Amino acid sequence: MPLRRSLPLPRRARTVAFAPSTAGVVGAVMLVAAGCTGTTGEPRSAGATPVASAPARLWPDRAPAPQPPPDKTGQDGPSPLPGLPRVPSGNIRTLDALAVVKAQIAEDARHHAPAFDKATERKINQCGDEPRHCPVRAPEYQDLTHDGKDELIVGIEGAEHTLAVWAYMLRGGVVNRILDTAGTPLSVEVSDGDVIMREPTGSPGYEMRTVHAWDERRQTMEIRTMEFDQKVSSPAPERTPSPGHTS
């Protein structure tokens, strides 16, 4: 980091004649000069500007912790979702969001990695008969990949006030999951393609802010920012029961 240099000392104040000198003008100039430089007319320094220093590493003689092995449980690239029809039109809005959720649950079961408990799964399977108690929220559509096309975002309410947020895109007409995250959010929003989740913390006046952004290289939504932030979210309104999905 380049060092910050001290600011140069101000030069002696100089007057500029706008009109023939008069006693009033001279007096005003003297007052301004005195206010800037002191009663003696000499410039006064405000002191040296503090110089930025490099971080001081503590315990430099100690070896760092070994790097953990790569996480094999996370999503590595877009995940094609079997069990759904192809969408040649490229319009993901033509898909039944509830069908997508059920296909994802079935795929997770084949990999012995269920996202929900059995009680939540039963509620999802009963969404057609009991839409008022359906834990699948109405689908949202946003351009997350910056290609001018909408992606599908679904939210599924689980136990302990958790919310799973899944996002899907179409690749060659095939449905692919590009986001798999969950939390206990105060709010979820999309800004310029970024999915932002705010969650409560144990620190009064603060909340956790997690930002998932599109990674062009990996072709998935990756965590870009995770930080404590000052609380800005207002309490979420009480949820009004909805059908849970639309076509």
Side-chain angles (χ1 to χ4, degrees):
M1 179 183 293
L3 299 180
R4 295 172 56 189
R5 298 184 180 182
S6 300
L7 295 175
L9 297 179
R11 297 177 180 272
R12 183 186 298 273
R14 294 184 294 179
T15 61
V16 179
F18 293 98
S21 298
T22 65
V25 173
V26 172
V29 171
M30 291 178 65
L31 286 174
V32 172
C36 295
T37 63
T39 56
T40 62
E42 294 297 326
R44 292 188 301 181
S45 172
T49 303
V51 178
S53 60
R57 183 177 177 181
L58 304 182
W59 306 294
D61 56 325
R62 305 297 295 181
Q67 292 294 316
D71 183 8
K72 298 300 184 181
T73 62
Q75 184 168 334
D76 186 17
S79 300
L81 183 57
L84 291 172
R86 295 176 62 90
V87 186
S89 67
N91 182 6
I92 202 166
R93 290 174 177 263
T94 61
L95 285 172
D96 186 323
L98 182 56
V100 173
V101 171
K102 289 182 177 181
Q104 187 66 65
I105 291 175
E107 178 68 5
D108 292 345
R110 283 190 288 270
H111 290 85
H112 306 287
F116 308 105
D117 56 24
K118 294 300 182 181
T120 301
E121 289 187 5
R122 283 195 297 270
K123 290 181 181 179
I124 293 172
N125 290 327
Q126 295 170 356
C127 281
D129 298 326
E130 300 181 15
R132 292 178 60 84
H133 302 288
C134 181
V136 181
R137 295 184 177 181
E140 298 281 355
Y141 300 92
Q142 295 283 339
D143 181 5
L144 304 179
T145 63
H146 309 288
D147 64 352
K149 298 180 181 179
D150 285 337
E151 276 67 54
L152 166 65
I153 306 172
V154 293
I156 307 99
E157 298 172 1
E160 303 296 330
H161 306 287
T162 59
L163 180 71
V165 179
W166 297 343
Y168 298 86
M169 69 178 295
L170 291 175
R171 289 167 58 102
V174 177
V175 179
N176 283 255
R177 184 165 66 174
I178 58 173
L179 175 64
D180 175 14
T181 189
T184 54
L186 297 166
S187 66
V188 182
E189 61 187 15
V190 174
S191 176
D192 193 26
D194 295 347
V195 178
I196 304 169
M197 181 182 293
R198 291 183 176 270
E199 300 178 75
T201 69
S203 301
Y206 287 86
E207 56 194 18
M208 175 66 73
R209 177 176 178 269
T210 305
V211 179
H212 286 82
W214 174 247
D215 187 315
E216 183 67 29
R217 181 178 62 84
R218 299 190 59 171
Q219 293 285 291
T220 60
M221 301 291 289
E222 301 287 341
I223 292 180
R224 186 180 67 188
T225 304
M226 180 181 289
E227 62 186 3
F228 281 99
D229 202 357
Q230 289 187 345
K231 187 173 182 179
V232 299
S233 301
S234 57
E238 185 175 349
R239 179 174 177 245
T240 300
S242 63
H245 73 284
T246 58
S247 296

